[in-house]
Amino acid sequence: MSNGANALTWTSSPAGPLHGEIRVPGDKSISHRAVMFASLADGVSRISGFLEGEDTRATARAFTQMGVRIDTPSASERVVHGVGIDGLKAPAAPIDCGNAGTGMRLLAGLLAGQKFDTTLIGDESLSKRPMRRVIDPLAKMGAKIESNGGGLPPLSISGSRKLQGIDYTLPVASAQVKSALLLAGLYAQGETRVREPHPTRDYTERMLRAFGWPIEFCEGHAQLSGGHRLRATDVVVPADFSSAAFFLVAASIVSESELTLRDVGMNPRRTGLLQALRLMGADIRETNAREAGGEAIADLVVRHVPLHGIDVPVELVPDMIDEFPALFVAAAAAQGTTRVAGAAELRVKESDRIAVMAKGLSALGAKIEETPDGAIIEGGALDSGEADSTGDHRCAMSFCIAGLLADGPVRVLDCANVATSFPGFLELANGCGFALA
Ligand code: S3P
């Protein structure tokens, strides 16, 4: 949010080297889905490593509103008393998804199949995000979803609709849209097939299978049919690669740094930044590679080395879609030119991330030119100054990293939403060498 009530300014001062061993909070995508599937399952599921962020807590609250008992025995743990696939109850009030596009889009699919009406609302940023991408294909399945003019939230979802399976090719690579359709497909007659122009994160597919729903999927394709049941399952949530990303960039660009990041989720549909940073010359080692809760995880050891600019391979874009704010900072600190293309989706995230990062980094003296679907960034020195995150959590954390290297303090505006995905960022960052206040 960029209104006064949420104005929180941080100052990130030049600092470093960065040292230590840290574990960033749990994966946001997995935490959202774990609450959803556990709520719809028969029996009691335990989620450990749950992200205590505002986004995922909003999703948990949504299910509490719909009659699901969710206990919190300790921080980052949830015990979910599933009500079964048809057991949700009409909420007494609109469901507030907060800042979470994932929450709203996945819930739109899931709620399209219920016997009761619901309304989904969100904060200022979410209220500007395009929902046609889920409304239109869900309507083809028989759903009735009314939006504010132009396909924006709030969404009014009618219940008691007869849904039909669909064979749908996504116009843009989006795990949220794919997941919304698969969730509606749980309640549809016949088969729902989703094809993607480029494979996206497959947590919905993997978790549905873990909860016992028959589903077939491979890269770029998923299909399931309605009429089955979900079986309670414990979920272990790995540390979020997207949160680890800020530290991968920070330790790469600050002299003499060496950081270890524990238990990081290494799903290949999430780790595009690792490849991009390595192309820029970064020294990041994967150690202790293992599996937890059906997901690949590893510890990442990152050491400073001078980075150089690259043309980011366009095929990496969907696998690093959330990491561009951090990548832009790495590029601004690198030698030479970095070009990003094929990333127009960045313009419809929590903010227009191309515009916000270009404006903020320019205010710090970086040479960065916006293009319709990316940016051209010349590496060089950064000045002290003020960068406005416009309430976008990932832009806010990225500007904090820029402050490490600037020639004086960087004031980062509108940081409250960092808590949507990364509670405790400030403390964790200061613990390994940032000077953030
Ligand atoms: C997400 C999918 C991506 C990503 C978002 C989380 C998910 O969005 O940017 O942070 O959990 O499915 P799109 O589906 O819009 O690409």
Side-chain angles (χ1 to χ4, degrees):
M1 307 258 294
S2 38
N3 61 26
N6 274 305
L8 171 65
T9 299
W10 283 344
T11 301
S12 178
S13 300
L18 307 177
H19 281 293
E21 264 190 40
I22 56 173
R23 189 191 195 276
V24 300
D27 187 279
K28 183 150 72 77
S29 294
I30 296 178
S31 296
H32 278 298
R33 288 160 172 85
V35 167
M36 292 181 186
F37 297 137
S39 294
L40 294 174
D42 298 311
V44 178
S45 303
R46 182 177 288 267
I47 305 170
S48 44
F50 179 76
L51 170 63
E52 296 288 1
E54 286 168 9
D55 278 12
T56 43
R57 285 156 78 136
T59 292
R61 241 184 343 265
F63 285 91
T64 309
Q65 269 181 273
M66 292 188 284
V68 181
R69 179 176 153 203
I70 302 178
D71 300 331
T72 304
S74 61
S76 309
E77 255 192 288
R78 292 293 184 280
V79 174
V80 182
H81 299 256
V83 293
I85 192 76
D86 292 314
L88 295 178
K89 296 199 173 66
I95 290 172
D96 188 352
C97 299
N99 190 244
T102 306
M104 185 171 282
R105 295 199 178 113
L106 270 60
L107 279 174
L110 192 157
L111 294 172
Q114 304 303 317
K115 293 202 170 56
F116 49 83
D117 300 344
T118 36
T119 301
L120 298 179
I121 59 173
D123 72 0
E124 189 186 324
S125 149
L126 183 53
S127 300
K128 291 186 201 139
R129 296 186 66 188
M131 294 295 148
R132 279 243 177 282
R133 51 181 64 197
V134 289
I135 295 173
D136 289 348
L138 288 170
K140 285 191 181 144
M141 296 178 76
K144 185 163 176 247
I145 302 178
E146 274 165 24
S147 63
N148 204 346
L152 301 178
L155 301 181
S156 301
I157 305 172
S158 300
S160 301
R161 306 284 299 178
K162 260 202 164 9
L163 301 186
Q164 285 296 329
I166 191 175
D167 188 335
Y168 189 72
T169 302
L170 298 182
V172 286
S174 164
Q176 293 177 356
V177 178
K178 169 178 66 174
S179 302
L181 302 185
L182 293 174
L183 284 166
L186 304 182
Y187 295 93
Q189 284 221 313
E191 211 152 56
T192 296
R193 279 173 191 246
V194 187
R195 303 167 206 266
E196 306 174 279
H198 185 284
T200 62
R201 64 194 74 191
D202 56 1
Y203 301 126
T204 299
E205 298 90 305
R206 296 161 75 90
M207 222 180 285
L208 278 171
R209 180 173 283 169
F211 277 81
W213 196 282
I215 175 164
E216 281 173 43
F217 62 95
C218 58
E219 288 211 334
H221 178 254
Q223 93 189 61
L224 55 70
S225 55
H228 305 279
R229 298 197 71 82
L230 294 164
R231 202 176 45 228
T233 304
D234 292 346
V235 179
V236 180
V237 183
D240 197 321
F241 183 89
S242 294
S243 297
F246 302 108
F247 291 93
L248 294 179
V249 170
S252 292
I253 65 177
V254 175
S255 289
E256 293 171 42
S257 296
E258 175 170 338
L259 271 181
T260 299
L261 299 156
R262 294 264 175 245
D263 306 335
V264 181
M266 296 296 289
N267 185 307
R269 300 281 73 83
R270 297 292 302 285
T271 48
L273 178 76
L274 202 54
Q275 295 182 55
L277 286 176
R278 283 176 176 153
L279 291 173
M280 297 173 84
D283 175 0
I284 303 172
R285 276 183 305 124
E286 291 164 49
T287 63
N288 204 8
R290 58 211 188 274
E291 223 188 76
E295 284 290 330
I297 64 170
D299 301 335
L300 299 177
V301 183
V302 50
R303 289 201 187 92
H304 165 257
V305 289
L307 301 182
H308 55 82
I310 57 165
D311 288 358
V312 176
V314 77
E315 64 275 11
L316 282 185
V317 167
D319 295 344
M320 56 182 290
I321 195 65
D322 292 334
E323 277 57 79
F324 280 96
L327 184 277
F328 282 12
V329 174
Q335 246 201 350
T337 307
T338 295
R339 290 183 191 81
V340 175
E345 273 293 293
L346 295 178
R347 295 204 180 271
V348 290
K349 293 293 179 189
E350 285 84 329
S351 69
D352 175 343
R353 286 183 172 159
I354 296 174
V356 170
M357 291 307 299
K359 201 165 168 214
L361 288 174
S362 298
L364 305 179
K367 288 201 193 96
I368 169 165
E369 184 191 320
E370 278 187 54
T371 63
D373 64 344
I376 302 164
I377 305 142
E378 301 287 344
L382 291 172
D383 305 331
S384 76
E386 199 168 88
D388 189 352
S389 79
T390 72
D392 184 314
H393 55 136
R394 299 201 199 283
C395 296
M397 289 184 274
S398 299
F399 292 137
C400 290
I401 296 167
L404 289 166
L405 278 193
D407 68 1
V410 168
R411 276 165 54 80
V412 185
L413 306 185
D414 218 345
C415 292
N417 278 339
V418 167
T420 62
S421 70
F422 202 148
F425 171 75
L426 184 136
E427 295 75 12
L428 204 63
N430 283 337
C432 56
F434 281 64
L436 199 52

